[in-house]
Amino acid sequence: IFLTYILLISRLKWLPESCATIILGMICGMLMNNQNDPLLYLVGFDPKTFFMYLLPPIIFESGYSLHKGNFFLNLGSILTFAIVGTILSTAVVGFGVHFAGSMGMITPLSMNESFVFGSLISAVDPVATLAIFSALDVNPTLYMLVFGESVLNDAVAVVLFRTFVSLSTSEGAGPVAFLIEFAMVSVSSVIVGVVVGLFSALVFKLSRLHEFPSLETAAMFVFCYMPYLLAESLELSGIMSILFAGIVMSHYTHFNLSPKTQLTLQHFSRTLAFVAETLVFAYLGLSVFTLRHSWEPGFVTVSMILILVGRAVNIFPLSVLVNKHRNIKISRKEQFIMWFSGLRGAIAFSLALNAPGPHQLIVVSSTLGVVLITTFLFGGGTLPVIRWLEQDKPHKNVSVSKNKDRGQPVSTPNGREHEPDHNLNKFELMDKSYLIPIFRINHKDIVAQDQELSRMRSQMFMSVPSNDE
């Protein structure tokens, strides 16, 4: 926490917080390893702990803090990059690793092992991506397009990984079985998240929990975690469920909460996500010295090349396709930054620890190597690249920090809800006419809540003593 604070107030604007936290974890892991500290085996990276306790608050906060208007307007483009792009990247890496192994360039993996590795290594880190595009100062539509893709990409990569793992135990499973299972898991996971989100909206709208803020806040946190546990118990994707539950809750449930609970949930969810992200990157640094590895430089090199090629196959052709149906085009410079910002993070490493097969050590070590290289090389180099590409623009005092200025995207309703009906698309029209009246309190109450929130924030700032006092 204090390391992040030092980065925020110092001139090291080019150093992402994730890199600094990883370095701190590596130093601690090296010291503990040299001294044979008994805590060494207690602080290692545990994938079960990551997926059960650290990942849910990160993904929920990402969905809950999305700017809903831009997200739904660009949903088609986001799904194109997240689903089609991730599948293309997985195919490029999977086929490439299997071919390189058959040619004797690296340790040969079976076809299924290759695609398991391709799916897990296609998970892009949304934390770093968010900070990078905040620094880019792109238009809000493009920002949402890229951030939405990076968040959904993780969910799609996890579903792909689990699908390939399950197919490895199924005899005679082919492409048709893969597509059916992938579609079933994805759609079912989204349905679980949406249903839980809508159910929570009805509960808070019809009940009188707003008269008891403590009970209301506790109930809200139960609903936040419920879609993840429910989806995992049904052998679906908890990540995809909790992501869409967060989006639905921010669009409906949020406005049925009392002002105190709204304020508490916003800040606490962000704080919890920050703590989880910090622990994740610290664990990554510790894992360099606390896990048993089988390093193969050739495998890491081939993986890096294939990842860059796969990212290019994802971004550039799909951008051409998406631009045909967009009013705001994605420029060549912006496409290059999107390609360059394809960092890999803790999700890829956690999936690698769960990868089956006789070559798991090589997969784990190579994944960790790719995560470290992309985080330091591309994470640290993104801002200089942006400066170079935007030489004709004045340089602002930007930061690659996620915590400096987050805004309050869920504190106000979608601004398009009060536009004339002919300006709205079909989903927005249905949302305005049917869904909002059912799942939200009336507009007058929302206006009163906004006024109460403004009053509470003013009281909070006034209660802070000044230097003169």
Side-chain angles (χ1 to χ4, degrees):
I1 294 174
F2 279 100
L3 181 61
T4 301
Y5 170 72
I6 292 173
L7 290 176
L8 289 175
I9 65 173
S10 68
R11 296 181 179 273
L12 297 177
K13 304 295 184 182
W14 52 268
L15 181 63
E17 297 154 11
S18 56
C19 295
T21 307
I22 290 175
I23 293 174
L24 181 63
M26 292 174 65
I27 294 174
C28 294
M30 182 174 58
L31 294 175
M32 295 171 66
N33 192 39
N34 290 336
Q35 298 177 3
N36 294 320
D37 197 310
L39 291 176
L40 191 65
Y41 301 99
L42 298 178
V43 297
F45 195 99
D46 181 13
K48 292 183 179 179
T49 300
F50 172 77
F51 280 106
M52 188 58 64
Y53 302 112
L54 298 181
L55 186 59
I58 298 174
I59 300 299
F60 176 82
E61 197 275 335
S62 298
Y64 197 75
S65 63
L66 281 177
H67 289 263
K68 301 173 293 297
N70 284 332
F71 179 80
F72 287 114
L73 283 174
N74 295 279
L75 186 59
S77 300
I78 291 172
L79 292 176
T80 300
F81 282 110
I83 298 178
V84 179
T86 305
I87 292 176
L88 289 175
S89 178
T90 299
V92 169
V93 177
F95 280 118
V97 167
H98 184 70
F99 176 78
S102 64
M103 297 296 293
M105 300 170 60
I106 59 175
T107 298
L109 303 182
S110 67
M111 182 63 76
N112 187 265
E113 282 183 306
S114 300
F115 273 89
V116 167
F117 177 72
S119 61
L120 69 89
I121 208 66
S122 296
V124 178
D125 178 19
V127 178
T129 305
L130 173 63
I132 288 165
F133 282 87
S134 295
L136 243 183
D137 192 28
V138 298
N139 63 74
T141 301
L142 179 60
Y143 177 91
M144 180 52 56
L145 184 68
V146 175
F147 180 52
E149 180 266 338
S150 68
V151 174
L152 284 176
N153 160 272
D154 287 339
V156 174
V158 172
V159 174
L160 283 172
F161 172 83
R162 292 182 175 178
T163 303
F164 283 119
V165 170
S166 65
L167 290 179
S168 65
T169 61
S170 303
E171 297 182 1
V176 176
F178 160 75
L179 291 175
I180 292 176
E181 182 165 354
F182 174 75
M184 289 294 294
V185 171
S186 301
V187 173
S188 301
S189 301
V190 172
I191 291 176
V192 169
V194 171
V195 169
V196 172
L198 293 177
F199 178 69
S200 69
L202 286 177
V203 168
F204 288 102
K205 178 182 178 179
L206 301 177
S207 68
R208 298 171 60 186
L209 280 171
H210 61 274
E211 298 178 4
F212 310 94
S214 297
L215 295 179
E216 185 184 37
T217 303
M220 187 59 187
F221 281 113
V222 171
F223 276 114
C224 293
Y225 203 55
M226 183 186 298
Y228 188 88
L229 294 179
L230 182 58
E232 289 295 323
S233 66
L234 297 174
E235 297 185 352
L236 301 175
S237 172
I239 295 178
M240 194 168 286
S241 293
I242 198 171
L243 173 64
F244 278 88
I247 295 172
V248 172
M249 288 181 185
S250 70
H251 191 57
Y252 300 109
T253 311
H254 175 82
F255 301 101
N256 299 335
L257 303 175
S258 65
K260 288 184 179 179
T261 302
Q262 287 183 5
L263 201 60
T264 301
L265 183 63
Q266 279 184 254
H267 291 287
F268 188 78
S269 63
R270 288 178 177 178
T271 302
L272 198 60
F274 165 71
V275 172
E277 291 161 2
T278 303
L279 289 174
V280 165
F281 287 115
Y283 275 138
L284 281 176
L286 285 169
S287 298
V288 176
F289 297 97
T290 58
L291 292 180
R292 190 163 59 96
H293 293 287
S294 178
W295 296 105
E296 187 175 325
F299 201 106
V300 176
T301 303
V302 170
S303 299
M304 281 297 307
I305 295 174
L306 292 173
I307 286 169
L308 296 177
V309 173
R311 184 70 177 171
V313 172
N314 175 354
I315 296 300
F316 298 114
L318 293 184
S319 294
V320 174
L321 177 64
V322 167
N323 279 340
K324 293 182 179 180
H325 306 280
R326 294 183 57 83
N327 294 325
I328 302 177
K329 309 298 183 182
I330 306 175
S331 68
R332 289 290 183 181
K333 289 183 179 180
E334 291 166 339
Q335 292 176 33
F336 179 81
I337 296 297
M338 291 169 63
W339 170 80
F340 192 83
S341 63
L343 284 71
R344 269 56 180 178
I347 292 181
F349 183 63
S350 301
L351 293 176
L353 292 174
N354 289 323
H359 304 99
Q360 186 194 32
L361 279 181
I362 294 177
V363 170
V364 170
S365 301
S366 300
T367 302
L368 180 59
V370 168
V371 170
L372 295 177
I373 292 173
T374 56
T375 301
F376 283 94
L377 180 61
F378 296 108
T382 297
L383 192 55
V385 169
I386 294 173
R387 298 284 199 191
W388 176 64
L389 290 176
E390 304 291 342
Q391 293 181 16
D392 55 333
K393 294 183 179 181
H395 289 173
K396 302 191 311 176
N397 185 26
V398 298
S399 170
V400 290
S401 169
K402 183 182 177 183
N403 299 288
K404 187 151 189 180
D405 186 12
R406 298 287 305 277
Q408 296 177 18
V410 298
S411 61
T412 57
N414 181 358
R416 292 175 57 85
E417 292 161 8
H418 308 293
E419 290 190 8
D421 290 350
H422 63 268
N423 289 343
L424 304 177
N425 58 36
K426 292 182 179 180
F427 174 79
E428 290 175 318
L429 188 59
M430 181 185 68
D431 185 41
K432 176 182 178 181
S433 302
Y434 301 104
L435 298 181
I436 288 180
I438 294 175
F439 295 104
R440 273 197 205 168
I441 59 178
N442 61 63
H443 177 65
K444 292 182 179 180
D445 291 336
I446 292 178
V447 173
Q449 284 183 351
D450 288 341
Q451 295 175 347
E452 177 66 14
L453 276 175
S454 299
R455 185 188 66 80
M456 290 173 59
R457 290 193 179 100
S458 299
Q459 286 184 344
M460 290 172 60
F461 285 118
M462 292 176 62
S463 63
V464 179
S466 63
N467 293 333
D468 296 334
E469 297 176 353

